[in-house]
Amino acid sequence: MARTAGVTPEQTRARLLQAAAAEFQRQGFEGTRVADIARAAGVSNGALYSHFESKTELLAAALRDHGPNHLAALFLDEPGHSVVDLLVTIGQGLTQRPPDHGSLVIEALVAARRDPEVARTVHEHVGDRCAWLADLIRTGQAEGAVDPDISPEALARYCLMLLFGSVLLPAAGLDPIAPGEWERLIERLGEALRPAGPDRDGGRP
């Protein structure tokens, strides 16, 4: 199939990535065929392969384009907040996340258990976010916002576990937590991250 008139290669690539992300989330990595992605993007299989060599390469690119670092985006939107405020705000919103938010990464994690090539892609994607978050926590420690005795790596891993769990747990059909209870729990956990001292509770005796 020739390139569609008026559509640039960049636009075709973007359509393929959008279609790949949607199909992987809908059918899973293993259940999605290259032909499904090409059809959803409105291109031929040949056009798809002119941009991507394999389904795994599509998954890697889709993760980069459609699995963005939401933590980083929130932090940049609220530059006056400390890292603890950031983590608390994100943690409080986990139960209100759209059901498909983050499901692309979850599908990739499942596929990674059986596909070494997918595992390498996921390792890079998740590892980058874990490293970014650990660096953010170290900055918070240097600025006095986070208790220096806390391991940045352990806290970053804990945050990722919460994020991934917030995507998976709704599928279990558990009853929702009463409004405010989750928010209060996360706020208490956030307070535990702050350094001990008079500033921790606003200077109250």
Side-chain angles (χ1 to χ4, degrees), residues 49-71:
Y49 282 117
S50 71
H51 289 272
F52 301 98
E53 294 183 357
S54 66
K55 189 169 71 169
T56 299
E57 186 178 338
L58 259 170
L59 175 62
L63 278 174
R64 287 191 294 269
D65 281 27
H66 297 279
N69 194 329
H70 299 285
L71 295 177

Side-chain angles (χ1 to χ4, degrees), residues 187 191 194-205:
E187 187 174 354
E191 287 302 316
R194 302 182 192 277
D199 291 339
R200 182 167 173 168
D201 60 2
R204 294 191 301 271

Side-chain angles (χ1 to χ4, degrees), residues 139-158:
T139 299
Q141 289 174 324
E143 295 173 349
V146 180
D147 190 328
D149 291 334
I150 294 174
S151 163
E153 291 77 12
L155 180 54
R157 193 73 56 87
Y158 176 73

Side-chain angles (χ1 to χ4, degrees), residues 16 19-20 23-24 26-43 45 48 55 58:
L16 284 166
E23 292 300 315
F24 288 146
R26 187 171 67 88
Q27 302 187 80
F29 176 75
E30 293 180 349
T32 300
R33 302 175 303 165
V34 168
D36 297 330
I37 297 171
R39 182 172 57 252
V43 303
N45 287 6
L48 183 151
K55 189 169 71 169
L58 259 170

Side-chain angles (χ1 to χ4, degrees), residues 15 30 43-44 50 69 75 81 105 109 133 153 161 178 197 205:
R15 286 165 57 178
E30 293 180 349
V43 303
S44 68
S50 71
N69 194 329
F75 183 71
H81 285 187
V105 178
L109 285 169
L133 188 52
E153 291 77 12
M161 289 177 178

Side-chain angles (χ1 to χ4, degrees), residues 91-102:
Q92 289 176 337
L94 289 180
T95 57
Q96 288 87 44
R97 292 157 62 97
D100 63 342
H101 191 79

